[in-house]
C-alpha cells in the first residue's frame, strides 16, 4: 500500500497521437483540390488546437489541483500546530470539509495519529520534507483509499513527525479526465473543421466540375457549343467567360484554317491543272508543238506555283519568327534600296523623309514594300507613288496608284487570303492572292496597322502605320 507517487505532472500522451496524425496527412496528400483543401484545414486546425489544448489542459489541471491542495495544506497546517502544541489526539477530527484522510507519521514510519477514515498504515511513502517544508502530490497507486491529492508537512523541524493530509479525487477532478475532455474537444473541432472544409470546397468546386464536363463534351467538330455562364461576377464566372472567349477564338481560327486550306488547294490546283494539260498536249502531239513556247508557258505556271508556295511558307512562318531579332530600320533607306533593284514598267515617284526609323525585321518590312509596289504596278495606269513621313509617334508609309481603286465595301476583304474581288483589281493581273494578306500579317506583327483609302489620283492608297523607334521622334525635331 505504501508506494511512491509522482510529484510532477507530465504532458498528455494524446499530443503525440495528433502529431502522428498530422504527419500521416502530410505524407498521404490527396490528389483532388477538394481533398487537399480539406487536409489543409485539418492540419491548420491541428497546429492551432494542439498547442491550445495542451495549455488549456495544463491550466485546468493546475487550477483544480491548486484548489484541492489549498484545502489539504490548510488541514496539514492545523494538525502540525496541534503536534507542536502537544495536544494531538489519537483520533484526528478533520476540520476542513473534504479532507478526511489525515495521518501523523513518525520518522521511523509508524502512524502516531490518524483520522477515522485513514488506516493505521501509512497511506503512502513521501519524500521526507525538510524542517518546516511542505510538498504536494497526487497518486492513484493504491487501490485503497484510491486516487489521492495530498500535502506532506514536517511538523517541527528535521526529525519531527510528518503530517499527511489527503482527499480523494473524483473522476471529474482528475487530471486524466481533464486531459481526455480537452483532447475530445480538440478532436471534435478538428472533425468539424474537416467536414465544413469538405462541404464548402465541394460547393465551391461544383461549378468547376460542371465546366470540366461541358468542356470535355466540346470537340473539334462542335466548337460552336458554349459553356453556360452563371449569373454573378465571381472568379468562376470570369473563368467561364474567358473559356467561352477562347472557344470563340478557336472556332474562328479553325474556320480560317479550313478556309485557308480549301483556298490554297484550289489555288494550287489551277496552275497544276494547266501545267498538266500543256504537258499532256505536248505528249499527244510531240511534233506539232512549239517546244520553246511550251517551255515558256510551263515555266510560267511553275513560277506561279513557286510564288504561291513561297507566300504560304512565309505566312506559316510569321508566328514562329515573332521572336526574331529586330533591328533599327530606316524606312527611307529601305525604300531607296528596294527601288534601286526593281525594274518596274511604271517609274515609281518617291517622296521620302529621312530619319524615319522603326524597329523591325528588315527582310519582312522589305516584303511588305515589295507586295504593295507589285500590287500598285499591276493595277496602275501610268502613276505609282510612295511616300514616307513621320506623324507624332508613328511612321507612315503610303503607296498609291491611279488604277481602278478598291470599293469601300471590299477594303477589309482585300487583306484576306485568296480574296476574289469582282473588280479590275483581281488576280487576273498575275498576283497570287496572298500578297496583301502577307503584308497585313507582317505589319500587325510589328504592332502596326494597314488600311486602304482613296488615292488622290483615283486609284487605291495603301497606308501603313508603324510605331517609331523610341527617341526617333525627338531626333527629327
Amino acid at each position: 500500500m505504501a508506494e511512491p507517487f509522482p510529484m510532477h505532472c507530465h504532458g498528455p500522451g494524446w499530443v503525440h497521437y495528433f502529431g502522428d496524425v498530422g504527419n500521416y496527412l502530410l505524407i498521404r496528400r490527396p490528389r483532388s483540390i477538394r481533398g487537399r483543401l480539406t487536409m489543409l484545414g485539418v492540419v491548420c486546425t491541428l497546429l492551432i488546437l494542439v498547442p491550445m489544448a495542451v495549455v488549456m489542459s495544463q491550466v485546468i489541471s493546475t487550477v483544480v489541483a491548486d484548489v484541492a491542495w489549498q484545502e489539504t495544506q490548510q488541514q496539514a497546517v492545523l494538525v502540525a500546530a496541534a503536534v507542536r502544541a502537544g495536544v494531538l489526539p489519537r483520533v484526528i477530527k478533520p476540520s476542513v470539509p473534504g479532507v478526511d484522510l489525515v495521518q501523523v507519521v513518525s520518522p521511523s514510519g509508524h502512524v502516531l495519529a490518524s483520522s477515522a477514515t485513514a488506516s493505521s498504515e501509512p497511506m503512502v511513502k513521501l519524500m521526507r520534507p525538510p524542517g518546516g517544508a511542505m510538498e504536494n502530490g497526487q497518486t492513484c497507486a493504491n487501490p485503497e483509499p484510491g486516487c489521492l491529492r495530498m500535502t506532506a508537512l514536517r511538523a517541527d523541524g528535521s526529525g519531527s513527525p510528518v503530517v499527511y493530509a489527503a482527499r480523494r479525487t473524483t473522476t471529474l477532478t482528475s487530471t486524466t479526465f481533464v486531459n481526455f475532455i480537452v483532447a475530445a474537444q480538440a478532436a471534435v473541432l478538428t472533425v468539424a473543421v474537416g467536414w465544413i472544409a469538405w462541404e464548402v470546397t465541394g460547393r465551391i468546386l461544383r461549378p468547376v466540375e460542371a465546366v470540366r464536363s461541358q468542356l470535355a463534351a466540346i470537340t473539334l467538330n462542335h466548337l460552336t457549343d458554349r459553356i453556360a455562364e452563371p449569373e454573378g461576377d465571381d472568379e468562376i464566372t470570369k473563368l467561364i467567360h474567358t473559356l467561352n472567349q477562347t472557344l470563340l477564338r478557336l472556332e474562328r481560327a479553325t474556320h480560317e484554317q479550313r478556309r485557308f486550306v480549301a483556298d490554297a488547294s484550289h489555288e494550287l490546283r489551277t496552275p497544276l491543272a494547266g501545267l498538266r494539260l500543256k504537258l499532256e498536249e505536248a505528249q499527244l502531239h510531240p511534233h506539232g508543238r512549239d517546244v520553246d513556247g511550251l517551255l515558256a508557258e510551263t515555266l510560267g505556271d511553275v513560277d506561279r506555283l513557286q510564288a504561291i508556295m513561297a507566300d504560304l511558307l512565309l505566312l506559316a512562318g510569321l508566328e514562329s519568327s515573332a521572336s526574331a531579332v529586330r533591328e533599327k530600320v530606316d524606312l527611307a533607306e529601305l525604300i531607296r534600296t528596294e527601288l534601286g533593284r526593281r525594274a518596274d514598267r511604271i517609274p515609281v515617284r518617291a517622296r521620302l523623309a529621312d530619319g524615319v526609323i522603326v524597329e523591325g525585321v528588315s527582310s519582312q518590312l522589305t516584303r511588305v514594300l515589295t507586295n504593295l509596289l507589285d500590287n500598285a504596278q499591276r493595277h496602275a495606269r501610268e502613276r505609282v507613288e510612295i511616300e514616307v513621313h513621320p506623324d507624332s509617334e508613328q511612321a507612315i508609309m503610303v503607296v498609291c496608284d491611279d488604277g481602278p481603286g478598291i470599293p469601300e465595301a471590299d477594303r477589309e476583304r482585300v487583306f484576306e487570303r485568296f480574296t476574289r474581288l469582282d473588280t479590275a483589281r483581281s488576280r487576273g493581273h498575275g498576283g497570287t492572292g496572298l500578297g496583301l494578306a502577307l503584308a497585313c500579317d507582317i505589319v500587325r506583327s510589328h504592332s502596326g496597322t494597314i488600311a486602304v483609302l482613296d488615292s488622290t489620283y483615283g486609284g487605291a492608297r495603301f497606308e501603313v502605320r508603324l510605331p517609331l523607334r523610341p527617341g526617333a521622334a525627338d531626333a527629327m525635331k
Side-chain angles (χ1 to χ4, degrees):
M1 182 172 179
E3 295 183 4
F5 68 94
M7 301 299 295
H8 304 283
C9 294
H10 299 282
W14 51 267
V15 176
H16 303 290
Y17 170 76
F18 279 118
D20 294 339
V21 171
N23 292 333
Y24 175 80
L25 290 175
L26 289 175
I27 294 173
R28 302 283 295 178
R29 186 178 67 173
R31 294 183 178 180
S32 67
I33 295 178
R34 187 181 188 184
R36 291 179 185 178
L37 291 176
T38 302
M39 185 198 71
L40 180 61
V42 170
V43 171
C44 291
T45 303
L46 288 174
L47 292 176
I48 295 173
L49 287 182
V50 168
M52 291 179 60
V54 172
V55 173
M56 185 182 299
S57 176
Q58 295 292 341
V59 170
I60 294 175
S61 299
T62 300
V63 170
V64 172
D66 286 346
V67 171
W69 279 322
Q70 285 177 3
E71 296 173 347
T72 59
Q73 289 172 4
Q74 182 182 0
Q75 183 63 59
V77 169
L78 294 175
V79 175
V83 172
R84 289 192 297 271
V87 294
L88 179 68
R90 179 65 182 172
V91 178
I92 302 172
K93 292 183 177 180
S95 58
V96 178
V99 183
D100 57 345
L101 300 172
V102 182
Q103 286 182 340
V104 180
V105 181
S106 67
S108 62
H110 295 93
V111 178
L112 301 178
S114 65
S115 62
T117 56
S119 64
S120 58
E121 295 293 328
M123 290 183 293
V124 67
K125 286 184 179 179
L126 285 173
M127 182 187 301
R128 300 297 182 181
M134 182 184 294
E135 289 191 14
N136 298 319
Q138 64 180 9
T139 182
C140 292
N142 300 320
E144 182 64 35
C147 294
L148 301 176
R149 277 199 179 94
M150 63 170 54
T151 297
L153 175 63
R154 181 77 64 176
D156 188 16
S158 178
S160 64
V162 178
V163 178
Y164 297 99
R167 66 179 297 168
R168 294 178 178 86
T169 61
T170 62
T171 305
L172 292 176
T173 58
S174 66
T175 56
T176 303
F177 184 76
V178 171
N179 293 339
F180 174 77
I181 290 297
V182 174
Q185 289 178 345
V188 170
L189 285 175
T190 302
V191 172
V193 169
W195 180 79
I196 292 173
W198 179 264
E199 290 296 322
V200 170
T201 53
R203 290 178 180 272
I204 293 175
L205 295 176
R206 192 173 299 160
V208 177
E209 176 61 25
V211 170
R212 187 201 63 79
S213 301
Q214 295 181 53
L215 196 60
I218 298 176
T219 63
L220 192 62
N221 294 325
H222 298 85
L223 291 178
T224 56
D225 296 342
R226 294 292 181 268
I227 302 171
E229 295 188 18
E231 296 182 357
D233 193 31
D234 56 14
E235 289 77 3
I236 301 296
T237 303
K238 293 179 180 178
L239 173 63
I240 295 175
H241 180 72
T242 302
L243 288 174
N244 283 333
Q245 293 299 314
T246 302
L247 288 173
L248 177 61
R249 290 192 296 269
L250 183 60
E251 178 189 0
R252 290 175 178 174
T254 304
H255 174 73
E256 290 296 327
Q257 183 182 28
R258 289 174 176 171
R259 178 183 174 186
F260 175 72
V261 171
D263 289 343
S265 300
H266 181 270
E267 293 298 321
L268 292 174
R269 187 183 299 114
T270 300
L272 282 174
L275 183 61
R276 182 181 182 85
L277 179 62
K278 294 181 180 67
L279 292 176
E280 287 179 348
E281 182 181 356
Q283 187 180 34
L284 291 174
H285 308 284
H287 301 294
R289 183 69 176 173
D290 180 13
V291 176
D292 293 336
L294 175 64
L295 291 176
E297 292 177 0
T298 54
L299 284 175
D301 290 334
V302 171
D303 289 341
R304 179 171 174 77
L305 284 172
Q306 187 176 4
I308 294 175
M309 291 301 300
D311 286 346
L312 288 174
L313 291 174
L314 186 54
L315 280 169
L318 272 180
E319 183 176 353
S320 62
S321 64
S323 59
V325 177
R326 298 193 177 188
E327 57 186 356
K328 181 173 65 174
V329 179
D330 188 324
L331 291 182
E333 291 297 326
L334 181 78
I335 293 171
R336 290 190 185 101
T337 302
E338 178 62 19
L339 293 179
R341 60 173 174 241
R342 291 175 64 93
D344 294 316
R345 66 181 183 88
I346 301 175
V348 179
R349 300 181 183 182
R351 290 184 295 175
L352 309 176
D354 293 325
V356 182
I357 300 173
V358 299
E359 282 191 354
V361 182
S362 179
S363 60
Q364 294 181 4
L365 294 178
T366 301
R367 187 58 183 268
V368 173
L369 173 63
T370 301
N371 288 357
L372 293 180
L373 289 174
D374 288 346
N375 180 76
Q377 289 287 340
R378 281 195 299 270
H379 305 295
R381 296 185 179 91
E382 46 184 48
R383 191 181 188 93
V384 174
E385 283 189 0
I386 185 168
E387 178 183 356
V388 167
H389 64 271
D391 180 16
S392 183
E393 298 297 324
Q394 291 183 321
I396 300 180
M397 180 173 67
V398 177
V399 176
C400 56
D401 61 66
D402 61 349
I406 299 176
E408 187 172 353
D410 296 325
R411 290 178 182 177
E412 292 292 332
R413 294 179 53 227
V414 293
F415 297 111
E416 298 177 2
R417 300 170 186 181
F418 302 119
T419 297
R420 290 178 174 83
L421 298 182
D422 296 329
T423 67
R425 303 185 75 96
S426 66
R427 287 194 310 278
H429 288 74
T432 64
L434 292 171
L436 295 180
L438 184 57
C440 181
D441 285 356
I442 293 175
V443 170
R444 289 177 178 174
S445 70
H446 283 72
S447 303
T449 60
I450 184 171
V452 184
L453 305 172
D454 289 325
S455 170
T456 55
Y457 308 112
R461 172 188 172 95
F462 285 85
E463 184 175 283
V464 175
R465 291 177 175 264
L466 297 171
L468 283 172
R469 186 172 184 266
D474 297 334
M476 290 183 293
K477 292 180 181 180

